[in-house]
Amino acid sequence: MIKKKSKRWYKKIVVNVFENSKEAILITDGETRIKYVNKAFLHITGYKEAEVLNVKTSAFKSGKHDKEFYKNMWQTIEVYGNWQGEIWDRKKTGEFYPKWLNIIQIKGDNDKDMQYVGIFEDLTLLKEREESINILKNYDMLTSLPNLSLMKELIREKISKNSNKRDYKYSLISLTITNYDIVKAGLGLKKADCLIITTLKRIKGHMKDNFVIGSPGKNEFMILLECNKSDNNILEFVNNVLNEFKNPFVIEDLEIYVQLAIGVASYDNYLDTVELIIENANIAKAYAAEETESSVQFYKTDFKEKYLENIKMKHLLSGALERGELYLTYQPQVNLESEEIVAAEALIRWKSPELGNISPVKFIPIAEKMGLILPIGEWVLDEALRQNKKWRQEKFKSILMSVNISPVQFKKEDIFKLIQDKLKKYDLLGESLEIEITEGLLLGNDPELMEQLSSINNIGVRLAMDDFGTGYSSLSYLRKFKFDKIKIDREFIKDYPEKDDGIIAKTIINLSKSLEIKVIAEGAETEEQIEFLRKNKCDQIQGYYYSPAVLPEEFEELLKKKHF
């Protein structure tokens, strides 16, 4: 009697939990006929209970997945007893929707007693937020043109598509309205924006259908020209544009002359990269901008003096580590609410006796190309953990040490083993270390990389998504790998409020909150920026407002202060 009562009581609790769950829950028999659905299921799908009971789950397929997808899914369930992943289904209205589904197989005494439990959440809102960020991230808001990040991909795609057609040639035009700032200062932002839109219309009037145009900056345009090698479209297009702008604009009864600087670079062979052709076009444009009137410059090899500097830099960098010229500085990461230091990011610096202080922005890409990033990256990790251990032994406050890991390191060495060995060397727990990775690293969905990240996750090392919003943000990766922190790139903070309304930063903060992931803003330097971030509930700050990156002994003084 007591046993029956206990079972009824237990069943009542289970049903109560199911019915009040925010996640949809359904139970089917062994042939996937629905035997139970909770309120959340009915709310998400729009069906009534009577409309779905005894109906097979296949009746709700969206048609977005092929037979192979479902075959693999059921094979996984049969082998492991469960499956989870993103899947699209159909609501009662016919609307397709994405959901994160977890299917659990429950075996009885025989096949007839087999049941399946499905638990899912509607991803529609998250997908919309992701799409919103992608639009903000990839398109210029004024012109709706692709920005530099997206333009690079479009150029790469266009060239790759016709890589085998030797009769094709490509030229990239980089164009700037050189008197834009004068117009804005004299007539105001509204008329200056109107000038950009009108300029775009005039340029488009001379473009062919296969040209690609983007806007990498406020008063800049980038145009990829595709044509047969025998054509003379480039000169024709450039001359037409220059002639067009000899005539003034009329904006609200005001005549405005637009001055242009145009740089042209050619994609000569398959060895050229998209970044190289963009760089060459911009260098040519810089020469054109020196003229007092609208002009065009075609890139020449002698424009590239700085590449000679790079050659020297490569030579000197190859022995910089052995000569002791590399060192680390540490920039505090501060809890915005308590204003206490909670972490430090280890930042590499290079002081060359010949070249002076060289920014990592210059020498890290070179190190990656030369393969030097492997020994340098290992040294950075070792030195950062050694310093963290020293501070702990000297009874300073225990803080998290954040270290950047290059995508090249992930691709060319076993990062998990390296991290594990270094933690063991200094007798530190995984929780004492955070590694920062960029969004681009995750793009290829490389199985070996995914395995490394999972292993790193499993030993307690925290993951931070660096420069979030500048690459290819993917919510699925944030969910899959349990990212502890999202870093808002300084590009979305540094110009607030004068040139940036903060909408991208605010969107990223809201997204992070919805995913229950901490968010840290880089590059905050002013009281206004701090107040904006505090108002929008940003968790942490890393920026000059609190402190630049400093040497270890200076960082110790900051730790002694307890808080700012």
Side-chain angles (χ1 to χ4, degrees):
M1 182 75 177
I2 294 173
K3 200 170 184 181
K4 286 183 179 179
K5 186 176 180 181
S6 177
K7 282 185 177 180
R8 286 198 304 272
W9 178 77
Y10 177 75
K11 185 177 180 182
K12 185 177 180 182
I13 289 177
V14 171
V15 170
N16 199 27
V17 170
F18 279 19
E19 286 303 308
N20 289 283
S21 171
K22 291 183 179 179
E23 293 182 312
I25 300 173
L26 67 153
I27 300 173
T28 77
D29 61 18
E31 295 180 348
T32 72
R33 290 187 180 88
I34 296 175
K35 298 301 178 182
Y36 167 82
V37 292
N38 68 349
K39 291 177 182 176
F41 177 96
L42 301 176
H43 175 72
I44 291 171
T45 65
Y47 285 100
K48 293 179 181 178
E49 185 178 37
E51 293 173 322
V52 297
L53 290 181
N54 292 314
V55 175
K56 281 195 168 188
T57 54
S58 57
F60 309 105
K61 286 182 179 179
S62 64
K64 284 180 173 283
H65 307 288
D66 57 20
K67 290 181 180 179
E68 193 67 21
F69 174 87
Y70 291 105
K71 179 183 176 183
N72 291 336
M73 182 182 81
W74 284 108
Q75 281 180 346
T76 302
I77 294 169
E78 289 301 315
V79 174
Y80 298 103
N82 66 82
W83 177 89
Q84 63 174 345
E86 185 178 310
I87 191 170
W88 287 75
D89 271 351
R90 183 169 42 81
K91 297 182 180 182
K92 182 179 179 180
T93 59
E95 174 192 353
F96 296 155
Y97 71 104
K99 63 186 183 184
W100 187 262
L101 174 63
N102 188 2
I103 300 174
I104 304 163
Q105 183 186 60
I106 301 174
K107 294 182 178 180
D109 296 332
N110 53 60
D111 290 342
K112 290 183 178 180
D113 294 332
M114 178 86 74
Q115 289 183 310
Y116 298 101
V117 177
I119 304 169
F120 68 84
E121 58 177 316
D122 188 351
L123 297 180
T124 302
L125 186 57
L126 287 176
K127 289 285 184 183
E128 288 174 353
R129 287 175 179 170
E130 187 177 22
E131 180 62 23
S132 176
I133 287 180
N134 281 334
I135 291 172
L136 290 169
K137 180 181 70 177
N138 290 319
Y139 291 89
D140 174 67
M141 291 298 101
L142 177 63
T143 62
S144 298
L145 292 176
N147 64 12
L148 179 59
S149 176
L150 180 56
M151 191 66 183
K152 285 181 181 179
E153 291 309 306
L154 293 175
I155 294 171
R156 190 173 287 115
E157 181 182 310
K158 192 86 168 173
I159 292 174
S160 176
K161 185 179 178 182
N162 295 310
S163 59
N164 296 323
K165 298 179 180 179
R166 297 301 178 186
D167 56 334
Y168 272 79
K169 67 177 180 180
Y170 296 91
S171 292
L172 186 70
I173 290 177
S174 181
L175 181 152
T176 293
I177 304 173
T178 55
N179 61 336
Y180 170 81
D181 288 336
I182 297 172
V183 173
K184 188 173 76 169
L187 302 177
L189 181 60
K190 184 179 177 181
K191 287 187 176 66
D193 284 349
C194 185
L195 181 71
I196 289 173
I197 296 298
T198 311
T199 298
L200 175 60
K201 287 180 180 177
R202 288 196 180 186
I203 292 171
K204 280 187 170 182
H206 297 283
M207 286 176 55
K208 294 187 176 182
D209 291 340
N210 60 352
F211 290 7
V212 180
I213 185 168
S215 178
K218 184 70 174 177
N219 58 323
E220 300 175 348
F221 297 101
M222 191 174 286
I223 307 154
L224 181 70
L225 283 69
E226 174 190 1
C227 57
N228 290 320
K229 286 188 176 180
S230 57
D231 291 342
N232 205 20
N233 287 349
I234 303 160
L235 273 175
E236 181 185 339
F237 175 74
V238 169
N239 287 331
N240 285 341
V241 170
L242 288 175
N243 288 331
E244 178 74 45
F245 284 87
K246 287 179 180 178
N247 301 314
F249 287 78
V250 178
I251 299 176
E252 296 181 12
D253 297 327
L254 289 173
E255 280 194 354
I256 302 171
Y257 283 88
V258 171
Q259 185 176 321
L260 302 178
I262 302 173
V264 183
S266 297
Y267 178 84
D268 291 325
N269 58 64
Y270 67 94
L271 293 175
D272 287 347
T273 64
V274 170
E275 287 73 20
L276 182 61
I277 190 176
I278 290 173
E279 181 182 284
N280 290 349
N282 285 337
I283 290 171
K285 182 180 68 177
Y287 276 81
E290 294 175 3
E291 304 294 329
T292 55
E293 297 180 352
S294 292
S295 68
V296 58
Q297 284 283 350
F298 288 80
Y299 175 77
K300 299 173 186 175
T301 52
D302 58 1
F303 283 0
K304 222 167 195 176
E305 268 183 47
K306 64 178 182 177
Y307 271 63
L308 294 175
E309 290 181 23
N310 282 349
I311 292 171
K312 188 174 183 180
M313 194 181 297
K314 288 177 183 179
H315 173 70
L316 294 172
L317 182 60
S318 62
L321 184 59
E322 291 75 11
R323 294 191 297 269
E325 295 171 8
L326 302 179
Y327 63 97
L328 293 186
T329 59
Y330 301 88
Q331 188 168 29
Q333 296 180 348
V334 181
N335 181 295
L336 190 50
E337 186 175 347
S338 66
E339 296 200 309
E340 292 180 330
I341 296 174
V342 292
E345 181 178 0
L347 297 166
I348 191 170
R349 297 291 184 261
W350 178 20
K351 186 172 184 179
S352 166
E354 293 188 45
L355 302 176
N357 292 313
I358 303 166
S359 167
V361 174
K362 287 186 176 181
F363 73 80
I364 289 298
I366 293 174
E368 289 178 330
K369 289 177 182 177
M370 295 177 67
L372 294 173
I373 197 65
L374 302 184
I376 290 174
E378 180 177 350
W379 174 81
V380 169
L381 180 62
D382 186 275
E383 178 63 15
L385 291 178
R386 184 198 66 76
Q387 185 63 65
N388 199 9
K389 180 66 175 182
K390 179 176 178 289
W391 284 335
R392 291 175 184 233
Q393 288 174 334
E394 293 175 357
K395 306 302 181 185
F396 285 103
K397 176 186 175 182
S398 294
I399 60 171
L400 187 68
M401 182 61 71
S402 186
V403 176
N404 289 278
I405 303 293
S406 164
V408 177
Q409 289 176 268
F410 271 101
K411 291 174 183 176
K412 294 191 175 181
E413 66 181 326
D414 189 341
I415 283 293
F416 169 63
K417 186 178 185 305
L418 178 64
I419 290 172
Q420 204 172 34
D421 290 346
K422 296 299 181 183
L423 288 171
K424 186 177 180 181
K425 177 180 177 180
Y426 294 107
D427 192 26
L428 289 168
L429 295 175
E431 288 78 5
S432 65
L433 175 66
E434 174 182 82
I435 63 168
E436 297 187 14
I437 63 176
T438 57
E439 300 170 89
L441 177 68
L442 305 174
L443 275 181
N445 205 22
D446 181 357
E448 289 185 12
L449 170 65
M450 302 301 148
E451 186 178 340
Q452 284 205 64
L453 286 176
S454 293
S455 299
I456 291 168
N457 249 165
N458 291 339
I459 61 171
V461 174
R462 302 183 189 185
L463 296 179
M465 179 71 80
D466 196 14
D467 299 339
F468 188 80
T470 63
Y472 301 85
S473 312
S474 174
L475 299 181
S476 61
Y477 289 126
L478 294 176
R479 296 163 63 87
K480 184 174 181 179
F481 293 109
K482 302 175 185 175
F483 275 85
D484 180 72
K485 191 185 295 179
I486 288 174
K487 297 190 80 172
I488 303 176
D489 187 73
R490 68 184 304 276
E491 287 297 316
F492 305 135
I493 302 295
K494 67 181 180 68
D495 293 328
Y496 178 86
E498 289 83 5
K499 299 178 182 179
D500 191 328
D501 59 8
I503 185 66
I504 294 182
K506 188 174 180 179
T507 303
I508 293 173
I509 292 171
N510 290 336
L511 171 65
S512 302
K513 295 299 178 185
S514 70
L515 295 172
E516 297 182 348
I517 298 175
K518 291 188 186 72
V519 60
I520 180 170
E522 293 183 289
E525 298 181 5
T526 69
E527 184 69 36
E528 281 181 302
Q529 290 166 355
I530 292 294
E531 285 307 310
F532 165 76
L533 293 165
R534 182 178 282 120
K535 179 182 176 182
N536 285 284
K537 301 190 184 306
C538 182
D539 298 299
Q540 297 173 15
I541 298 295
Q542 180 180 340
Y544 274 51
Y545 180 82
Y546 287 114
S547 173
V550 295
L551 295 170
E553 53 271 22
E554 296 173 280
F555 196 89
E556 289 169 9
E557 294 301 314
L558 296 176
L559 288 174
K560 288 176 184 176
K561 286 168 39 178
K562 304 296 183 186
H563 61 81
F564 288 93

